[in-house]
Amino acid sequence: MQTVKIPQIKQKKYNHAFVVAFSIESNNDGEHVTERELLIGLTKRLLEFLEAKVGHTLASECCGVPYDTYENY
């Protein structure tokens, strides 16, 4: 008995680029914010996402819509 292969239909996949918005307080002007200050500010923002209640839109408010999308082939 011969086996018949059924072709698989590939589902489209997309790549989306987002920007995460956050703010920090610093004693430095904007051009001299340190790497450590940036990482601490970003970490605090990400913790806010993790602590948000289910169904809260904090992440979508922070990131908005993707600024770039392309189809993966």
Side-chain angles (χ1 to χ4, degrees), residues 21-41:
F22 65 100
S23 64
I24 63 169
E25 287 187 12
S26 172
N27 292 327
N28 303 315
D29 63 18
E31 294 181 14
H32 296 96
V33 172
T34 67
E35 184 87 7
R36 181 170 174 76
E37 290 170 327
L38 285 172
L39 290 173
I40 289 170

